[in-house]
Amino acid sequence: SLLLLLVSNLLLWQSVTPLPVCPGGAVRCQVTLRDLFDRAVVLSHYIHNLSSEMFSEFDKRYTQGRGFISKALNSCHTSSLATPEDKEQAQQISQKDFLSLIVSILRSWNEPLYHLVTEVRGMQEAPEAILSKAIEIEEQSKRLLEGMELILSQVHPETRENAVYSVWSGLPSLQMADEESRLFAYYNLLHCLRRDSHKIDNYLKLLKCRIVHDNNC
Amino acid sequence: MDLWQLLLTLALAGSSDAFSGREKTQRMQTLIPTGRKKKCSIKKTLRLTLKATAAILSRVSQSLLSVNPGLKTNSSKKPKFTKCRSPELETFSCHWTDAVHHGLKNPGPIQLFYTRRNAQEGTQEWKECPDYVSAGENSCYFNSSFTSIWIPYCIKLTSNGGTVDEKCFSVNQIVQPDPPIALNWTLLNISLTGVHADIQVRWEAPPNADIQKGWMVLEYELQYKEVNETQWKMMDPILSTSVPLYSLRVDKEYEVRVRSKQRKSENYGEFSEVLYVKLPQMSQFTCEEDFYFPWLLIIIFGISGLTVMLFVFLFSKQQRIKMLILPPVPVPKIKGIDPDLLKEGKLEEVNTILAIHDSCKPEFHSDDSWVEFIELDIEDPDEKTEGSDTDRLLSSDHEKSHSNLGVKDGDSGRTSCYEPDMLETDFNASDIHDGTSQVVQPQRLKGEADLLCLDQKNQNNSPYHDACPAIHQPSVIQAEKNKPQPLLTDGAESTHQAAHIQLSNPSSLANIDFYAQVSDITPAGSVVLSPGQKNKAGVSQCDMHPEVSLCQANFIMDNAYFCEADAKKCIPVAPHIKVESHTEPSFNQEDIYITTESLTTTSGRPGTAEHVPGSEMPVPDYTSIHIVQSPQGLILNATALPLPDKEFLSSCGYVSTDQLNKIMP
């Protein structure tokens, strides 16, 4: 998994960083929408892989067999966002809304990721694998956000900059003294992260096929 | 039943016994003294315990009997969830094991309840499975209306109202795609030999996976093997629906199968149906194209190479090959004489060799191992003219003559007296400056290049030598022909030893020796010179002006060599020196180099330089050195030594010390 991380990291560095600057500030850049979507899909896939690994490592190490799964149901902070829950719903959403939604989800995760990194770093005997992945996810999320905003501006230039996103208030629970509660808080956070990264990945693939390939991937 | 009866009876007996025993003990206690009381109490307790156990046993047996006898053989397996699977991320189904019921009474139908947590609902509302049929027996199928992807589900299995199993998951985690369909292959190409072929395998994605809209992204894994093999060969996961297989053998049949997996998840779906590949055979016969690593060739070459190297190594040990490869630096050696012989001091061999040249009788010599033999370079007269040391001496290149003389020519072994490296070694310590000894001092020599007084620059008597050169040449040449190697034996020894100088009858002028050979050194310290071949008196042919005064002054100088003419002219007794016979070389005590002839002629002379022995005196061959005036020279005894036998005289090469001792007083 580390090797995969390394390789995908390399690929990403090559392909995604940085998003090209349009010469002269022109709206229509030389980079095609197809390339943008390709890069975005690669990023989202990478982020999802990372978060899956991070979650499974955390679960194996700290919370195995505690039955947290039954408790951590639907208590993610991004649940307030109206995300499509299946294919039919996803097909009914408009492109513009879809893109905005993705951007909102990504924005909502900025702060939690930042706090996650700081908290894990501050932990005694900080698990290196989890910490490194958290840092990486935070970094790539920012990039993906930039990419999505760029795509949005290209596909729907008239869209106003909307600041809709979910506020995360789980920081106190991460810092609780009680170990059980604290572990549960982490579990929940990582579980939600995995779920949302999967959502974003799926949505992007849908959008890519819809926008770039006209529903004919 | 019999067992129970037995137990009951025992218990009764035990209890009755106990009762009777109690009475007895009570009675006994009054009568029995205290020592026996303990034994009685132990017995009492034992009986009580027996009774208790019997009672317990009876109760247990009673209860056991009342129980349904069929319960013993009952074993219940609870129904469990085996797998929940979503093939296309739109629907899912769950399966469980069937309960095993052996009992007469059926515990009741198994039910599945599920709940999905939504943000809005906070309560756990368990709903029953919507479809028990579509997915088969012991399964529950959730169609797309009941499926939400990123929402967690919890399901539970109930039997008889009691929860048997429970599970929670999200649909996106249980995705296992269907197997690909429509596998087929096409031939790409066949190798020229007709043994191997490449094929392209194609398939289609499972129909229920929505690839076109991008809802699912699948990757595939292909496996293939030969028909009679057991291990499947796996290829790396690929995203496309076709893949080439290279280098399949035409004469073999292959099986191919593919399975798919959603890219993000870990679980592969089921394998597809096996595709049989039978390649068309172009030719009737198949040649073995298999490439076997040529181990045999490599082994053969390796062994032969090693053998060659071994032989080279062995041969290199031999001296001959070694000499060919690494020719040794030429060391001084005499033609025909092995220097090792000289080192070992084998007189006989050396004498035989010398005898060849000089018809000498080698039997005089004893094996004095301490005596070191001088290398004698006796050559044919008609040998060597140019390039000789003499020529170099005579050349105008006087500055370099010293170095010239120092140069060894070839490997003939002949070196001049002026060879600095030869002479340095032993003579640095010594202080021979006079001419009587043939041992030459290198420092002096270095300064002087001209053996024949021909070097004008290096000598102080330069003016005197001007007239010499032309005349000296023939003698030089002659002398050159017989040029024994001087000295170098025990330089240190010889300096402080009186030297016996063998004098021989003066031969013709032409026979004056340019060099003379120290043939032996006696234990008494005498140096035995060999009779020179040439008369050095030939040197005296040159007419010198007896400018004594100059010579006198010059003699004081450190001159290694003086030609005899020089010595002659420098002898204060001029007329005596100017002997009629030109063949009479004189010597001076200053004269370092004295040939036998010169000694012969001047023998009988007293130790002073002024006295010149008359030529008419018979000069003995041998005379003893009276004084060694270091560094001035040697002074010979005037007394003539008794002539040795003819035999002795005729000895050319060597005189053994014993023989010398006979001669010497």
Side-chain angles (χ1 to χ4, degrees):
Chain A
S1 62
L2 268 170
L3 199 66
L4 175 71
L5 213 74
L6 206 71
V7 170
S8 19
N9 215 3
L10 285 167
L11 288 168
L12 284 166
W13 286 119
Q14 285 174 4
S15 61
V16 183
T17 46
L19 283 174
V21 178
C22 301
V27 176
R28 293 286 173 194
C29 291
Q30 289 192 355
V31 180
T32 61
L33 201 62
R34 182 190 215 125
D35 291 339
L36 284 174
F37 263 108
D38 283 341
R39 293 179 198 184
V41 165
V42 166
L43 258 183
S44 65
H45 183 79
Y46 180 51
I47 290 169
H48 175 67
N49 275 346
L50 282 174
S51 49
S52 293
E53 284 170 15
M54 188 165 69
F55 176 77
S56 53
E57 274 174 30
F58 177 86
D59 189 31
K60 191 165 67 178
R61 186 165 170 171
Y62 295 101
T63 60
Q64 186 78 39
R66 290 195 197 210
F68 281 165
I69 183 72
S70 53
K71 287 192 257 176
L73 299 176
N74 238 15
S75 48
C76 297
H77 68 290
T78 49
S79 303
S80 58
L81 294 170
T83 54
E85 300 296 337
D86 59 22
K87 193 171 85 170
E88 287 84 13
Q89 288 179 22
Q91 281 174 324
Q92 284 156 18
I93 285 190
S94 70
Q95 255 181 47
K96 189 174 111 181
D97 292 338
F98 220 161
L99 286 166
S100 305
L101 190 64
I102 294 170
V103 169
S104 300
I105 298 172
L106 285 168
R107 274 212 200 103
S108 307
W109 275 102
N110 277 345
E111 198 180 328
L113 282 171
Y114 170 77
H115 287 294
L116 175 70
V117 167
T118 18
E119 289 303 312
V120 170
R121 202 179 266 145
M123 260 164 67
Q124 281 181 346
E125 301 172 2
E128 184 56 40
I130 292 170
L131 178 63
S132 60
K133 288 192 176 72
I135 292 167
E136 187 69 15
I137 290 169
E138 191 197 355
E139 179 105 18
Q140 303 302 332
S141 267
K142 284 188 189 144
R143 269 188 232 289
L144 184 58
L145 181 60
E146 286 170 14
M148 291 314 299
E149 282 168 348
L150 192 63
I151 289 171
L152 190 59
S153 67
Q154 274 203 15
V155 175
H156 299 281
E158 70 281 359
T159 311
R160 283 180 292 111
E161 189 74 25
N162 55 344
V164 174
Y165 67 96
S166 301
V167 179
W168 180 68
S169 55
L171 184 58
S173 56
L174 282 183
Q175 296 164 332
M176 274 161 71
D178 178 31
E179 193 192 333
E180 178 101 2
S181 313
R182 196 171 67 245
L183 280 176
F184 178 72
Y186 275 107
Y187 183 92
N188 204 30
L189 185 65
L190 292 177
H191 183 265
C192 290
L193 180 63
R194 182 176 75 163
R195 190 193 80 166
D196 284 351
S197 61
H198 188 270
K199 262 193 198 174
I200 290 166
D201 191 34
N202 244 56
Y203 294 162
L204 273 174
K205 282 167 185 168
L206 268 177
L207 276 175
K208 179 184 154 189
C209 285
R210 201 202 285 194
I211 294 171
V212 177
H213 301 277
D214 198 22
N215 274 337
N216 197 11
C217 276
Chain B
M1 288 303 282
D2 293 336
L3 191 65
W4 296 118
Q5 283 168 359
L6 192 66
L7 278 169
L8 277 166
T9 46
L10 272 170
L12 282 166
S15 58
S16 65
D17 239 1
F19 275 115
S20 60
R22 227 180 258 164
E23 284 170 13
K24 278 183 187 173
T25 50
Q26 276 172 0
R27 271 186 255 143
M28 292 291 280
Q29 267 178 349
T30 54
L31 297 171
I32 301 165
T34 52
R36 287 185 194 173
K37 270 189 187 176
K38 280 184 184 174
K39 271 191 188 175
C40 292
S41 63
I42 287 164
K43 278 184 191 172
K44 187 176 148 186
T45 49
L46 274 169
R47 279 177 196 143
L48 280 169
T49 50
L50 268 170
K51 183 189 155 189
T53 47
I56 290 163
L57 277 168
S58 61
R59 277 193 210 128
V60 166
S61 60
Q62 281 169 11
S63 63
L64 276 172
L65 284 166
S66 66
V67 170
N68 192 353
L71 202 57
K72 269 190 188 174
T73 54
N74 264 354
S75 64
S76 64
K77 270 189 190 173
K78 288 184 180 179
K80 266 186 169 181
F81 284 116
T82 51
K83 187 171 74 171
C84 286
R85 170 177 172 250
S86 169
E88 75 287 74
L89 207 64
E90 293 170 43
T91 66
F92 73 100
S93 57
C94 284
H95 302 260
W96 62 85
T97 56
D98 199 7
V100 179
H101 297 290
H102 293 277
L104 298 169
K105 199 171 150 188
N106 202 334
I110 297 173
Q111 288 175 301
L112 184 140
F113 291 93
Y114 75 94
T115 179
R116 54 180 174 180
R117 297 285 183 94
N118 287 331
Q120 297 84 10
E121 298 165 24
T123 56
Q124 279 195 34
E125 197 184 289
W126 292 96
K127 296 174 199 166
E128 198 171 350
C129 169
D131 190 345
Y132 282 105
V133 178
S134 302
E137 202 168 327
N138 294 328
S139 71
C140 182
Y141 175 76
F142 295 82
N143 62 15
S144 55
S145 58
F146 289 98
T147 311
S148 303
I149 305 302
W150 290 284
I151 293 170
Y153 279 79
C154 279
I155 54 169
K156 66 177 180 181
L157 212 60
T158 58
S159 161
N160 263 1
T163 303
V164 177
D165 198 4
E166 202 169 334
K167 193 171 168 180
C168 291
F169 56 88
S170 294
V171 179
N172 52 310
Q173 292 170 280
I174 56 166
V175 177
Q176 267 185 304
D178 282 340
I181 56 164
L183 270 76
N184 62 356
W185 65 275
T186 51
L187 186 70
L188 288 176
N189 51 25
I190 301 184
S191 66
L192 290 171
T193 54
V195 179
H196 289 98
D198 306 329
I199 60 167
Q200 183 89 6
V201 182
R202 285 194 184 82
W203 61 88
E204 283 173 19
N208 52 6
D210 197 348
I211 307 294
Q212 277 188 345
K213 293 203 184 68
W215 185 243
M216 282 189 80
V217 178
L218 296 175
E219 63 181 17
Y220 306 96
E221 188 196 54
L222 185 137
Q223 295 183 359
Y224 70 100
K225 72 172 176 70
E226 286 178 30
V227 175
N228 43 14
E229 275 180 359
T230 51
Q231 278 291 94
W232 287 91
K233 286 180 210 159
M234 276 177 250
M235 291 182 66
D236 293 331
I238 43 172
L239 292 172
S240 61
T241 58
S242 73
V243 75
L245 284 178
Y246 295 116
S247 191
L248 299 179
R249 287 181 64 94
V250 169
D251 56 343
K252 301 229 161 99
E253 266 194 43
Y254 289 87
E255 293 176 344
V256 178
R257 62 180 188 180
V258 188
R259 62 179 178 176
S260 61
K261 167 173 91 87
Q262 207 200 12
R263 249 186 107 194
K264 294 182 282 286
S265 62
E266 300 161 358
N267 303 319
Y268 272 103
E270 292 297 317
F271 276 107
S272 66
E273 285 180 5
V274 171
L275 176 73
Y276 286 95
V277 178
K278 186 166 163 56
L279 297 156
Q281 287 194 348
M282 305 294 284
S283 56
Q284 286 300 318
F285 57 91
T286 57
C287 54
E288 283 295 310
E289 206 189 67
D290 288 342
F291 177 73
Y292 296 107
F293 201 68
W295 289 112
L296 197 64
L297 272 174
I298 285 169
I299 287 166
I300 288 169
F301 273 115
I303 287 172
S304 54
L306 282 171
T307 319
V308 165
M309 276 170 61
L310 193 70
F311 275 120
V312 166
F313 180 67
L314 284 173
F315 278 129
S316 67
K317 291 266 183 174
Q318 292 184 12
Q319 284 296 318
R320 274 196 304 172
I321 307 287
K322 209 176 185 178
M323 301 264 270
L324 275 176
I325 297 165
L326 304 164
V329 176
V331 294
K333 80 178 183 196
I334 302 166
K335 252 194 199 174
I337 294 184
D338 189 2
D340 290 340
L341 284 179
L342 294 175
K343 284 179 203 169
E344 292 158 15
K346 292 187 182 163
L347 269 175
E348 287 78 15
E349 284 114 359
V350 178
N351 283 329
T352 49
I353 291 162
L354 292 174
I356 295 164
H357 297 276
D358 243 346
S359 68
C360 294
K361 292 182 187 178
E363 54 268 17
F364 302 131
H365 312 296
S366 60
D367 289 359
D368 285 335
S369 57
W370 64 270
V371 173
E372 291 188 12
F373 291 98
I374 304 154
E375 293 178 298
L376 174 65
D377 191 9
I378 300 168
E379 292 176 304
D380 297 333
D382 53 347
E383 208 172 334
K384 99 125 177 159
T385 51
E386 294 84 20
S388 65
D389 294 335
T390 321
D391 289 339
R392 275 184 247 123
L393 282 171
L394 295 174
S395 67
S396 59
D397 198 1
H398 291 303
E399 285 98 0
K400 291 179 190 172
S401 55
H402 130 75
S403 60
N404 282 342
L405 291 168
V407 170
K408 295 179 188 174
D409 48 342
D411 66 341
S412 64
R414 290 178 291 102
T415 57
S416 65
C417 292
Y418 278 115
E419 202 149 12
D421 49 351
M422 276 190 70
L423 305 167
E424 265 173 31
T425 53
D426 296 327
F427 285 97
N428 284 336
S430 67
D431 279 331
I432 298 175
H433 292 263
D434 58 339
T436 54
S437 139
Q438 288 201 358
V439 180
V440 183
Q441 215 163 15
Q443 280 103 358
R444 314 292 154 86
L445 289 175
K446 274 175 185 170
E448 323 224 349
D450 193 8
L451 288 169
L452 300 174
C453 334
L454 298 174
D455 190 318
Q456 300 172 2
K457 291 184 185 178
N458 288 347
Q459 288 192 2
N460 299 316
N461 307 348
S462 43
Y464 289 98
H465 299 276
D466 289 335
C468 282
I471 305 162
H472 283 228
Q473 272 174 359
S475 65
V476 168
I477 291 165
Q478 285 165 1
E480 204 52 25
K481 291 176 187 175
N482 262 336
K483 208 169 53 165
Q485 286 259 1
L487 9 232
L488 278 215
T489 58
D490 284 330
E493 280 180 51
S494 56
T495 50
H496 305 291
Q497 294 165 0
H500 284 279
I501 299 163
Q502 179 185 3
L503 301 172
S504 63
N505 289 323
S507 50
S508 65
L509 278 172
N511 285 338
I512 283 184
D513 230 344
F514 190 59
Y515 303 95
Q517 174 193 3
V518 175
S519 54
D520 200 355
I521 298 173
T522 65
S526 318
V527 171
V528 178
L529 297 176
S530 68
Q533 300 278 338
K534 302 287 168 72
N535 197 349
K536 200 188 171 201
V539 173
S540 64
Q541 281 174 356
C542 87
D543 259 331
M544 293 296 165
H545 301 289
E547 290 190 34
V548 177
S549 57
L550 277 166
C551 286
Q552 198 69 306
N554 290 327
F555 279 134
I556 299 163
M557 308 295 289
D558 292 346
N559 276 333
Y561 279 97
F562 294 87
C563 58
E564 295 184 21
D566 253 358
K568 271 170 56 181
K569 71 189 177 211
C570 291
I571 290 171
V573 184
H576 287 278
I577 292 168
K578 284 271 171 131
V579 183
E580 304 80 17
S581 95
H582 288 269
T583 64
E584 186 185 85
S586 64
F587 74 97
N588 199 334
Q589 63 181 359
E590 307 293 338
D591 202 350
I592 297 168
Y593 184 83
I594 299 173
T595 61
T596 50
E597 290 80 7
S598 65
L599 286 170
T600 309
T601 52
T602 57
S603 66
R605 196 172 66 148
T608 59
E610 282 75 17
H611 297 280
V612 179
S615 56
E616 58 278 330
M617 266 186 76
V619 180
D621 277 350
Y622 295 91
T623 190
S624 60
I625 293 173
H626 178 59
I627 299 167
V628 178
Q629 282 184 354
S630 163
Q632 272 77 28
L634 296 171
I635 298 171
L636 296 179
N637 278 337
T639 57
L641 296 169
L643 290 176
D645 336 333
K646 270 204 174 175
E647 201 184 2
F648 189 53
L649 279 172
S650 64
S651 70
C652 65
Y654 292 91
V655 178
S656 66
T657 50
D658 297 337
Q659 289 158 349
L660 269 178
N661 287 332
K662 289 183 219 160
I663 303 163
M664 290 299 295

mmCIF file of all heavy atoms in Angstrom, chain B residues 290-308:
data_model
loop_
_atom_site.group_PDB
_atom_site.id
_atom_site.type_symbol
_atom_site.label_atom_id
_atom_site.label_comp_id
_atom_site.label_asym_id
_atom_site.label_seq_id
_atom_site.Cartn_x
_atom_site.Cartn_y
_atom_site.Cartn_z
ATOM 1 N N ASP B 290 12.505 -24.919 -28.243
ATOM 2 C CA ASP B 290 12.858 -24.475 -26.899
ATOM 3 C C ASP B 290 14.337 -24.159 -26.780
ATOM 4 O O ASP B 290 15.178 -24.881 -27.279
ATOM 5 C CB ASP B 290 12.497 -25.561 -25.885
ATOM 6 C CG ASP B 290 10.998 -25.653 -25.721
ATOM 7 O OD1 ASP B 290 10.321 -24.690 -26.113
ATOM 8 O OD2 ASP B 290 10.521 -26.673 -25.228
ATOM 9 N N PHE B 291 14.581 -23.158 -26.173
ATOM 10 C CA PHE B 291 15.957 -22.704 -25.999
ATOM 11 C C PHE B 291 16.457 -23.210 -24.662
ATOM 12 O O PHE B 291 15.968 -22.837 -23.622
ATOM 13 C CB PHE B 291 16.004 -21.181 -26.040
ATOM 14 C CG PHE B 291 17.373 -20.628 -25.786
ATOM 15 C CD1 PHE B 291 18.361 -20.732 -26.746
ATOM 16 C CD2 PHE B 291 17.676 -20.029 -24.580
ATOM 17 C CE1 PHE B 291 19.621 -20.216 -26.511
ATOM 18 C CE2 PHE B 291 18.932 -19.524 -24.340
ATOM 19 C CZ PHE B 291 19.907 -19.610 -25.298
ATOM 20 N N TYR B 292 17.373 -24.070 -24.785
ATOM 21 C CA TYR B 292 17.999 -24.539 -23.556
ATOM 22 C C TYR B 292 19.321 -23.818 -23.378
ATOM 23 O O TYR B 292 20.107 -23.710 -24.294
ATOM 24 C CB TYR B 292 18.238 -26.047 -23.620
ATOM 25 C CG TYR B 292 16.961 -26.825 -23.712
ATOM 26 C CD1 TYR B 292 16.574 -27.445 -24.892
ATOM 27 C CD2 TYR B 292 16.118 -26.937 -22.610
ATOM 28 C CE1 TYR B 292 15.406 -28.162 -24.974
ATOM 29 C CE2 TYR B 292 14.947 -27.649 -22.688
ATOM 30 C CZ TYR B 292 14.588 -28.255 -23.876
ATOM 31 O OH TYR B 292 13.432 -28.963 -23.958
ATOM 32 N N PHE B 293 19.499 -23.370 -22.257
ATOM 33 C CA PHE B 293 20.734 -22.662 -21.976
ATOM 34 C C PHE B 293 21.915 -23.595 -22.184
ATOM 35 O O PHE B 293 21.941 -24.674 -21.665
ATOM 36 C CB PHE B 293 20.721 -22.136 -20.532
ATOM 37 C CG PHE B 293 21.677 -21.009 -20.311
ATOM 38 C CD1 PHE B 293 21.466 -19.783 -20.889
ATOM 39 C CD2 PHE B 293 22.796 -21.199 -19.533
ATOM 40 C CE1 PHE B 293 22.355 -18.745 -20.685
ATOM 41 C CE2 PHE B 293 23.683 -20.174 -19.326
ATOM 42 C CZ PHE B 293 23.471 -18.938 -19.900
ATOM 43 N N PRO B 294 22.833 -23.171 -22.998
ATOM 44 C CA PRO B 294 23.924 -24.095 -23.372
ATOM 45 C C PRO B 294 24.913 -24.336 -22.244
ATOM 46 O O PRO B 294 26.054 -23.891 -22.282
ATOM 47 C CB PRO B 294 24.579 -23.369 -24.550
ATOM 48 C CG PRO B 294 24.311 -21.926 -24.293
ATOM 49 C CD PRO B 294 23.001 -21.845 -23.594
ATOM 50 N N TRP B 295 24.421 -25.053 -21.259
ATOM 51 C CA TRP B 295 25.278 -25.317 -20.108
ATOM 52 C C TRP B 295 26.504 -26.116 -20.497
ATOM 53 O O TRP B 295 27.610 -25.897 -20.003
ATOM 54 C CB TRP B 295 24.494 -26.070 -19.032
ATOM 55 C CG TRP B 295 23.479 -25.225 -18.356
ATOM 56 C CD1 TRP B 295 22.132 -25.350 -18.452
ATOM 57 C CD2 TRP B 295 23.735 -24.123 -17.492
ATOM 58 N NE1 TRP B 295 21.523 -24.388 -17.705
ATOM 59 C CE2 TRP B 295 22.476 -23.624 -17.089
ATOM 60 C CE3 TRP B 295 24.887 -23.503 -17.023
ATOM 61 C CZ2 TRP B 295 22.338 -22.542 -16.243
ATOM 62 C CZ3 TRP B 295 24.742 -22.421 -16.163
ATOM 63 C CH2 TRP B 295 23.483 -21.963 -15.788
ATOM 64 N N LEU B 296 26.297 -27.052 -21.405
ATOM 65 C CA LEU B 296 27.407 -27.922 -21.784
ATOM 66 C C LEU B 296 28.527 -27.122 -22.431
ATOM 67 O O LEU B 296 29.703 -27.275 -22.100
ATOM 68 C CB LEU B 296 26.882 -29.006 -22.755
ATOM 69 C CG LEU B 296 27.791 -30.228 -22.929
ATOM 70 C CD1 LEU B 296 27.894 -30.968 -21.604
ATOM 71 C CD2 LEU B 296 27.242 -31.151 -24.000
ATOM 72 N N LEU B 297 28.134 -26.254 -23.332
ATOM 73 C CA LEU B 297 29.137 -25.434 -24.013
ATOM 74 C C LEU B 297 29.887 -24.565 -23.004
ATOM 75 O O LEU B 297 31.114 -24.443 -23.064
ATOM 76 C CB LEU B 297 28.452 -24.533 -25.035
ATOM 77 C CG LEU B 297 28.249 -25.131 -26.430
ATOM 78 C CD1 LEU B 297 27.425 -24.187 -27.284
ATOM 79 C CD2 LEU B 297 29.579 -25.412 -27.101
ATOM 80 N N ILE B 298 29.131 -24.023 -22.122
ATOM 81 C CA ILE B 298 29.764 -23.138 -21.151
ATOM 82 C C ILE B 298 30.742 -23.916 -20.282
ATOM 83 O O ILE B 298 31.845 -23.453 -19.999
ATOM 84 C CB ILE B 298 28.678 -22.446 -20.293
ATOM 85 C CG1 ILE B 298 28.000 -21.346 -21.123
ATOM 86 C CG2 ILE B 298 29.282 -21.830 -19.031
ATOM 87 C CD1 ILE B 298 26.774 -20.790 -20.483
ATOM 88 N N ILE B 299 30.325 -25.095 -19.899
ATOM 89 C CA ILE B 299 31.208 -25.911 -19.054
ATOM 90 C C ILE B 299 32.480 -26.269 -19.812
ATOM 91 O O ILE B 299 33.591 -26.162 -19.280
ATOM 92 C CB ILE B 299 30.460 -27.177 -18.589
ATOM 93 C CG1 ILE B 299 29.422 -26.794 -17.529
ATOM 94 C CG2 ILE B 299 31.429 -28.216 -18.028
ATOM 95 C CD1 ILE B 299 28.431 -27.891 -17.252
ATOM 96 N N ILE B 300 32.313 -26.658 -21.069
ATOM 97 C CA ILE B 300 33.484 -27.059 -21.846
ATOM 98 C C ILE B 300 34.449 -25.892 -22.003
ATOM 99 O O ILE B 300 35.654 -26.024 -21.777
ATOM 100 C CB ILE B 300 33.038 -27.594 -23.229
ATOM 101 C CG1 ILE B 300 32.383 -28.968 -23.056
ATOM 102 C CG2 ILE B 300 34.226 -27.693 -24.185
ATOM 103 C CD1 ILE B 300 31.678 -29.465 -24.291
ATOM 104 N N PHE B 301 33.889 -24.761 -22.363
ATOM 105 C CA PHE B 301 34.752 -23.596 -22.548
ATOM 106 C C PHE B 301 35.412 -23.191 -21.243
ATOM 107 O O PHE B 301 36.576 -22.785 -21.213
ATOM 108 C CB PHE B 301 33.928 -22.434 -23.128
ATOM 109 C CG PHE B 301 33.850 -22.465 -24.623
ATOM 110 C CD1 PHE B 301 32.629 -22.666 -25.253
ATOM 111 C CD2 PHE B 301 34.984 -22.318 -25.395
ATOM 112 C CE1 PHE B 301 32.560 -22.709 -26.626
ATOM 113 C CE2 PHE B 301 34.915 -22.356 -26.761
ATOM 114 C CZ PHE B 301 33.697 -22.553 -27.389
ATOM 115 N N GLY B 302 34.649 -23.285 -20.213
ATOM 116 C CA GLY B 302 35.230 -22.895 -18.930
ATOM 117 C C GLY B 302 36.390 -23.787 -18.532
ATOM 118 O O GLY B 302 37.443 -23.317 -18.100
ATOM 119 N N ILE B 303 36.179 -25.067 -18.730
ATOM 120 C CA ILE B 303 37.243 -26.006 -18.354
ATOM 121 C C ILE B 303 38.473 -25.785 -19.229
ATOM 122 O O ILE B 303 39.606 -25.755 -18.728
ATOM 123 C CB ILE B 303 36.726 -27.454 -18.461
ATOM 124 C CG1 ILE B 303 35.759 -27.729 -17.316
ATOM 125 C CG2 ILE B 303 37.899 -28.439 -18.425
ATOM 126 C CD1 ILE B 303 35.056 -29.045 -17.419
ATOM 127 N N SER B 304 38.253 -25.611 -20.520
ATOM 128 C CA SER B 304 39.419 -25.423 -21.393
ATOM 129 C C SER B 304 40.138 -24.132 -21.058
ATOM 130 O O SER B 304 41.367 -24.077 -21.036
ATOM 131 C CB SER B 304 38.983 -25.423 -22.852
ATOM 132 O OG SER B 304 37.967 -24.481 -23.042
ATOM 133 N N GLY B 305 39.391 -23.117 -20.777
ATOM 134 C CA GLY B 305 40.029 -21.860 -20.396
ATOM 135 C C GLY B 305 40.859 -22.003 -19.134
ATOM 136 O O GLY B 305 41.995 -21.521 -19.044
ATOM 137 N N LEU B 306 40.276 -22.701 -18.185
ATOM 138 C CA LEU B 306 40.999 -22.909 -16.933
ATOM 139 C C LEU B 306 42.259 -23.728 -17.170
ATOM 140 O O LEU B 306 43.318 -23.457 -16.584
ATOM 141 C CB LEU B 306 40.097 -23.609 -15.917
ATOM 142 C CG LEU B 306 39.069 -22.708 -15.233
ATOM 143 C CD1 LEU B 306 38.090 -23.527 -14.426
ATOM 144 C CD2 LEU B 306 39.753 -21.699 -14.331
ATOM 145 N N THR B 307 42.144 -24.724 -18.025
ATOM 146 C CA THR B 307 43.310 -25.555 -18.323
ATOM 147 C C THR B 307 44.412 -24.728 -18.959
ATOM 148 O O THR B 307 45.589 -24.851 -18.588
ATOM 149 C CB THR B 307 42.916 -26.702 -19.268
ATOM 150 O OG1 THR B 307 41.657 -27.221 -18.869
ATOM 151 C CG2 THR B 307 43.967 -27.796 -19.236
ATOM 152 N N VAL B 308 44.013 -23.895 -19.900
ATOM 153 C CA VAL B 308 45.017 -23.054 -20.559
ATOM 154 C C VAL B 308 45.704 -22.158 -19.536
ATOM 155 O O VAL B 308 46.929 -22.025 -19.520
ATOM 156 C CB VAL B 308 44.340 -22.221 -21.673
ATOM 157 C CG1 VAL B 308 45.233 -21.087 -22.132
ATOM 158 C CG2 VAL B 308 44.000 -23.118 -22.850
#
